[in-house]
Amino acid sequence: MVKICCIGAGYVGGPTMAVIALKCPKITVSVVDISSPRINAWNSDQLPIYEPGLEEVVKKCRGVNLFFSTDVEKHVSEADIVFVSVNTPTKTQGLGAGKAADLTYWESAARMIADVSKSDKIVVEKSTVPVKTAEAIEKILTHNAKGINFQILSNPEFLAEGTAINDLYNPDRVLIGGRETPEGKKAVQTLKDVYAQWVPVDRIICTNLWSAELSKLAANAFLAQRISSVNAMSALCEATGADVSQVSHAVGMDSRIGPKFLNASVGFGGSCFQKDILNLIYICECNGLPEVANYWKQVVKVNDYQKCRFVNRIVSSMFNTVSNKKIAILGFAFKKDTGDTRETPAIDVCNGLLGDKAMLSIYDPEVSEEQIRRDLSMKKYEWDHPRHLQPISPTDIKQVEVTSDAYKATKDSHGVCILTEWDEFRNLDYKKIFDNMQKPAFVFDGRNVVDTEELRKIGFIVYSIGKPLDAWLKDMPAVA
């Protein structure tokens, strides 16, 4: 029986291994992590991450052929295939700070694998890593091998949070990169055989190591570029009276372009997009390609501009000050159907408003108060380090309260900001909300989820990204 071990029980490792266990009942799958609270949560009724469909998969397989453990070395030693899904945060200091990936955790995992292995192993990169990481890991394993043979594969994930389980059930493609040697090809085939138990073979793409690593960065960069493109158009739409929803629909009807990732918003977030583009920029710079690096830098700049523009719209609309005004924040996760707050635009929007001395009342159905306070008190990139290396307790921000429902958050507020497209925000009783707000009452829709005309009939002054401006807003600056 093949044994698989995954180092790292996070957003990638947990769901991916759960689906492999479900689809490959003859394979024993162990997910290991040094964090006892995280592993305890995976073994409980309250999983550490929220993802539609995940709980059912875990409960069906857990204890049968799916196991969660802190005994990292034991399970790595026994495994035939070791997936490594550890953090690769952006470096905060030293060479490449602010752009390059920090491979500290990857190197530590590689050294541990070499140290505890007593049999040949296939080591699979599952984290998003810089191009040529496999070569570095290969050197560490080879120089510490003690006669054991290691084959390194790159198997990047292409999951979208909120749809991760469906993405794993029915992937667009599975990408496996390996050495183009007999041993490398054999290792690629071994992993291919695992996925082929439920994925059509024509969707399993085999490449060399470098192509697989770069394909992951390229895919995320292209997707983020689409978002920044439509967000750039949203600013022009507001300036001219066009409607970005109509523009993106017309553009998306072109079969060469397609409709996906063309929804204007307050900005993109998540664990990958910005980090991967910064990584790509650093690789381009290191390879003497400054023009290419500058192209991708602009994608990040437009994303930052969109968040800044949104905050400035709020402040300028409310008589150029939000000092001591209560602003309701509806949604803190970076997208609906996930509790993930990594790089969520809400952090920058909230910090921008706090910088102008606003009083924030925040509600999100899946994000805890502790996480919200932690995110608002952390420095840039600290979020991607393991929890035990993050600040021990979040700073108490007196201007922030976290509430249990949208109506509590909006009561007595001067304005409402919608920052996550949760379905429940489409169906709120906005007449009730309006009646309980200070007047004039503002709605700032960063996800284009509300019917602006209906809200204006109720009496709201409404700003929606990329939509024709309310008469109240037309003479007010979008950027300070």
Side-chain angles (χ1 to χ4, degrees):
M1 179 184 286
V2 175
K3 288 189 176 181
I4 289 176
C5 176
C6 178
I7 303 172
Y11 277 89
V12 175
T16 303
M17 294 303 113
V19 170
I20 287 177
L22 179 70
K23 298 294 187 179
C24 308
K26 293 183 179 179
I27 293 178
T28 299
V29 180
S30 300
V31 183
V32 297
D33 201 294
I34 59 173
S35 170
S36 296
R38 178 176 280 184
I39 291 298
N40 290 340
W42 279 110
N43 284 317
S44 74
D45 289 332
Q46 189 66 45
L47 302 186
I49 63 175
Y50 172 74
E51 189 67 43
L54 175 61
E55 186 177 355
E56 293 81 357
V57 177
V58 170
K59 288 185 175 179
K60 187 171 183 178
C61 300
R62 192 172 58 195
V64 180
N65 68 326
L66 176 64
F67 304 92
F68 298 92
S69 173
T70 55
D71 196 343
V72 178
E73 295 185 0
K74 172 182 180 293
H75 290 286
V76 168
S77 175
E78 294 175 353
D80 303 298
I81 304 173
V82 179
F83 286 82
V84 183
S85 187
V86 297
N87 290 30
T88 52
T90 303
K91 289 182 74 173
T92 55
Q93 56 189 9
L95 184 65
K99 288 179 284 192
D102 185 344
L103 297 179
T104 301
Y105 309 117
W106 236 109
E107 182 175 340
S108 176
R111 291 184 182 279
M112 182 273 295
I113 292 169
D115 192 44
V116 305
S117 293
K118 298 179 178 63
S119 59
D120 295 352
K121 298 200 186 314
I122 297 170
V123 179
V124 184
E125 291 178 341
K126 202 63 184 171
S127 313
T128 300
V129 293
V131 179
K132 298 286 185 178
T133 297
E135 191 172 73
I137 302 308
E138 198 171 52
K139 288 175 180 175
I140 292 170
L141 291 171
T142 301
H143 283 84
N144 294 277
K146 304 169 190 171
I148 293 167
N149 294 314
F150 295 101
Q151 286 298 320
I152 316 300
L153 301 180
S154 175
N155 177 218
E157 54 83 18
F158 296 101
L159 307 179
E161 288 183 46
T163 60
I165 299 302
N166 285 332
D167 293 343
L168 287 162
Y169 284 165
N170 188 34
D172 289 337
R173 77 287 202 200
V174 171
L175 185 57
I176 303 172
R179 284 288 191 188
E180 293 173 310
T181 62
E183 298 81 7
K185 290 177 181 178
K186 183 179 178 182
V188 168
Q189 187 62 47
T190 299
L191 186 56
K192 184 177 180 180
D193 289 342
V194 172
Y195 283 109
Q197 294 190 48
W198 80 95
V199 180
V201 174
D202 60 356
R203 292 194 201 171
I204 304 175
I205 304 169
C206 299
T207 69
N208 67 34
L209 275 171
W210 326 133
S211 295
E213 289 178 334
L214 184 55
S215 293
K216 169 63 175 176
L217 297 183
N220 279 343
F222 276 52
L223 292 173
Q225 187 257 3
R226 285 173 69 93
I227 297 171
S228 282
S229 293
V230 75
N231 282 343
M233 293 304 301
S234 74
L236 184 58
C237 286
E238 290 168 27
T240 60
D243 185 326
V244 73
S245 297
Q246 295 174 359
V247 172
S248 62
H249 177 70
V251 169
M253 290 293 285
D254 188 323
S255 60
R256 297 167 299 175
I257 298 173
K260 293 184 178 179
F261 283 78
L262 288 181
N263 293 321
S265 70
V266 68
F268 60 71
S271 63
C272 289
F273 280 178
Q274 178 157 303
K275 183 177 74 170
D276 287 358
I277 296 174
L278 293 173
N279 196 345
L280 191 61
I281 291 166
Y282 183 67
I283 293 167
C284 292
E285 290 174 343
C286 290
N287 283 279
L289 301 169
E291 291 83 4
V292 181
N294 288 335
Y295 174 82
W296 292 111
K297 279 180 185 176
Q298 197 61 32
V299 173
V300 177
K301 284 183 179 179
V302 169
N303 195 52
D304 291 338
Y305 164 75
Q306 188 78 338
K307 292 179 283 189
C308 180
R309 203 168 69 82
F310 189 78
V311 172
N312 288 335
R313 278 287 190 204
I314 296 168
V315 176
S316 64
S317 300
M318 300 175 75
F319 313 105
N320 220 35
T321 178
V322 291
S323 180
N324 294 316
K325 292 178 181 176
K326 179 179 177 180
I327 308 292
I329 305 294
L330 299 186
F332 199 84
F334 85 93
K335 63 187 286 191
K336 73 173 185 177
D337 291 335
T338 179
D340 195 352
T341 60
R342 290 176 291 179
E343 288 290 354
T344 175
I347 294 173
D348 288 332
V349 171
C350 288
N351 282 331
L353 294 171
L354 290 170
D356 212 278
K357 299 182 180 179
M359 309 298 290
L360 303 185
S361 185
I362 304 173
Y363 165 68
D364 188 287
E366 288 296 336
V367 183
S368 68
E369 178 171 357
E370 181 198 5
Q371 186 63 51
I372 289 171
R373 293 190 179 279
R374 182 182 292 275
D375 286 331
L376 292 178
S377 64
M378 275 194 289
K379 294 177 183 176
K380 193 83 169 163
Y381 306 125
E382 281 184 339
W383 56 264
D384 206 17
H385 289 269
R387 180 61 68 92
H388 67 283
L389 295 178
Q390 294 176 11
I392 294 174
S393 58
T395 305
D396 183 39
I397 304 171
K398 293 179 181 178
Q399 292 164 255
V400 173
E401 70 166 350
V402 180
T403 65
S404 57
D405 71 60
Y407 297 104
K408 287 182 181 177
T410 55
K411 184 174 172 53
D412 295 323
S413 67
H414 291 78
V416 176
C417 296
I418 303 173
L419 300 181
T420 311
E421 70 280 20
W422 288 104
D423 290 340
E424 70 175 87
F425 298 157
R426 300 178 190 276
N427 303 313
L428 293 172
D429 184 344
Y430 282 97
K431 178 66 167 66
K432 175 181 175 181
I433 289 172
F434 178 81
D435 290 344
N436 289 314
M437 286 177 65
Q438 304 286 338
K439 307 298 185 297
F442 297 86
V443 169
F444 303 95
D445 185 359
R447 296 289 179 174
N448 284 340
V449 300
V450 300
D451 185 326
T452 54
E453 293 309 314
E454 285 300 313
L455 263 60
R456 284 172 183 150
K457 288 177 184 176
I458 291 171
F460 285 105
I461 296 162
V462 184
Y463 167 68
S464 287
I465 294 277
K467 301 280 187 170
L469 293 178
D470 193 298
W472 180 285
L473 303 168
K474 283 185 178 176
D475 296 324
M476 295 182 179
V479 180

